[in-house]
Each structure stands twice: as structure tokens, then as C-alpha cells.
Amino acid sequence: MTVAENLAAVRARIVAACEACGRDPSSVALVAVSKFHEAAAIREAYAAGQRLFGESYVQELAAKRKELADLPDLQFHFIGHLQSNKVKALLATEIACVETVHSPALARELGKRVESASARPPGTAAGGEETARRHAAGLPVLPVLAEINVGREANKHGALPEEADALIAAIEAEPALRFQGWMTIPPDDEIATKAAFEALAALHAAGTQKRGRPLTLSMGMSGDLELAIACGATLVRVGTAIFGART
Ligand SMILES: *Cc1c(COP(=O)(O)O)cnc(C)c1O
């Protein structure tokens, strides 16, 4: 199977999953997770119409950006564990979204670094209005998701559900960040995965209603994208089913 064939099969799975639960297929975005695969594989997916990709390692992303500089409308989401000392290098890759903001400290570091890429007008308050104003003024604003460890797994990153409000507040306090939704990596076990998807969907429903604008619910991978879509995912992150096994 070629990347183009795999991609078509994954798109068909998304359409079928949406139809099974009465959702519009255009309400689910696909991030093609290209980590550990060559830039050539991204080119194949690009030729098949895919524009949005996911990468987990800053150095690998930076190298691919260079190799793919001739593809201007290529977009990347960062989906790996982000350390504060890698933020500057990550921003140099012109990332479209950081899906894995896991702590208030990381939110502050990201906000500060995006802001220092441009002068902030003096005497302006932080917060949602200031973010809108920056956006209108053409200053950089980075969309981010809050990574939530809904499965409460010790070996996973992300805020615990009871820490989610504080994390989102820290994101929303940064004028150069735009809070765009929730992301999770669920436990391996199928029953726990369903519980995790439902828990994140509940946070998404309440938080979207509170803010009155559409927000992202990023969950679902190669093995569980149907379940994620049934639970309300608006973005699925699929690697293996598109690019094959990672070495
Ligand atoms: C690698 C990765 C994926 C893709 O997983 P597959 O099972 O290969 O589809 C999705 N999300 C995150 C956060 C990942 O690290």
C-alpha cells in the first residue's frame, strides 16, 4: 500500500465513523503524524492532498522543515512532550499549533517567547481581549491545546483533570497564546480509553459552551479513531495507518 492509498483509507474510515454517529465528516480534521518517517513520506502525503502533519521532536521537525521548504502551505502541529528549553527552537519552525501544553510554566514560557518575537505595545493588559487585539494588529498569536492526562497515568504527561482549569487560565493569561482546545493520549486498555475520551469530551463541551466559540477536541489515533469520533473528536492524529510502522 502506498501512502496515498493509506491516506485514502484513513479518510474513508473518518467518513464512515462520522456517518455512523450522524456527524458531518468536515467536522473532523486529520493530522498525519509523520514522526520517525522521512520527509519523502510527507511529500507523498502532500501530493495526495494532505497539508496538516504532526511531529513529536523539535530537532526532527526543524530538519524536515528545511527539507520541505518548497512546500509553503505545509502545516505542522507539535504533539510531543515539550521541554521549556526547546521552545525557542520549536517556534523557529513556524509551528501552527502546540497540542501539548502540559503545565502553567510551559504556557508562560511559550507566551513569553512568542511575544519576544515581536514588540508588545506598552501599557496593555493581558487576557483574551489583548489576544484579539494582537491578532487584529497582525502580531503573532500561537494557537495551543491543553494536554490533559485524563487516564491519570504516571508515565504520561499532561495536567490532571482537576488541574485543567488552572492550566487553561495560565494559557488564557498569555496575550500571545490562543487557547484552542483539549488534547489527550488515552490509556492502552480499550475500556479505559473510552472513559478517557468521554471525560475529555465533557471538558470540551463545558469549556466550549463557556467560551462561546468552536474549540478543538484532539483525540484518536490509528487504532481508536472511530471510538474518538463517536465520542466527539474534532481532530484525530493518525500515524501508523498512513505511514506504516515506525522504526
Ligand atoms: C505517535 C503519535 C500519534 C500517532 O499514533 P499512531 O498509533 O501511529 O496513529 C498520535 N498522537 C501522538 C501524541 C503521538 O505521539
Side-chain angles (χ1 to χ4, degrees):
M1 293 275 277
T2 65
V3 167
E5 285 166 342
N6 288 341
L7 198 48
V10 167
R11 289 192 186 125
R13 281 175 64 188
I14 292 171
V15 169
C18 286
E19 281 169 357
C21 60
R23 294 184 57 192
D24 178 353
S26 71
S27 67
V28 180
L30 171 62
V31 170
V33 178
S34 45
K35 64 173 184 239
F36 296 138
H37 293 282
E38 303 283 332
I42 296 180
R43 277 189 196 280
E44 280 184 70
Y46 183 94
Q50 183 67 26
R51 294 292 178 271
L52 183 55
F53 295 85
E55 288 282 342
S56 301
Y57 301 93
V58 174
Q59 261 183 311
E60 185 181 343
L61 170 59
K64 284 176 183 168
R65 262 294 192 209
K66 263 192 203 152
E67 285 182 71
L68 300 166
D70 57 310
L71 307 180
D73 54 348
L74 202 56
Q75 289 204 336
F76 286 98
H77 282 195
F78 190 77
I79 61 169
H81 178 58
L82 183 57
Q83 289 161 301
S84 288
N85 62 359
K86 298 279 172 66
V87 164
K88 204 177 165 194
L90 176 64
L91 294 177
T93 69
E94 291 181 39
I95 198 84
C97 176
V98 176
E99 294 201 17
T100 43
V101 176
H102 53 73
S103 69
L106 179 63
R108 286 190 286 274
E109 176 67 14
L110 265 174
K112 192 181 81 185
R113 290 286 181 187
V114 176
E115 232 174 324
S116 66
S118 65
R120 182 176 170 197
T124 48
E129 265 176 46
E130 171 61 5
T131 301
R133 212 197 51 70
R134 276 182 68 86
H135 195 69
L139 296 170
V141 171
L142 177 69
V144 302
L145 306 184
E147 180 181 9
I148 312 296
N149 183 2
V150 266
R152 316 187 74 88
E153 293 175 284
N155 64 342
K156 290 224 168 92
H157 298 286
L160 293 172
E162 64 270 24
E163 298 167 340
D165 282 349
L167 173 57
I168 295 167
I171 292 169
E172 291 184 330
E174 291 300 321
L177 301 183
R178 179 178 174 81
F179 174 66
Q180 199 53 55
W182 295 258
M183 178 270 200
T184 198
I185 304 169
D188 277 337
D189 156 71
E190 200 182 323
I191 291 168
T193 293
K194 185 159 190 276
F197 285 170
E198 287 170 347
L200 199 71
L203 291 180
H204 174 257
T208 299
Q209 194 181 30
K210 182 177 162 195
R211 288 168 184 82
R213 63 186 169 97
L215 292 166
T216 299
L217 179 55
S218 173
M219 57 191 198
M221 310 192 281
S222 292
D224 55 21
L225 70 88
E226 284 85 359
L227 179 60
I229 288 171
C231 293
T234 68
L235 186 156
V236 291
R237 311 176 306 263
V238 180
T240 309
I242 297 173
F243 297 111
R246 290 178 286 271
T247 46

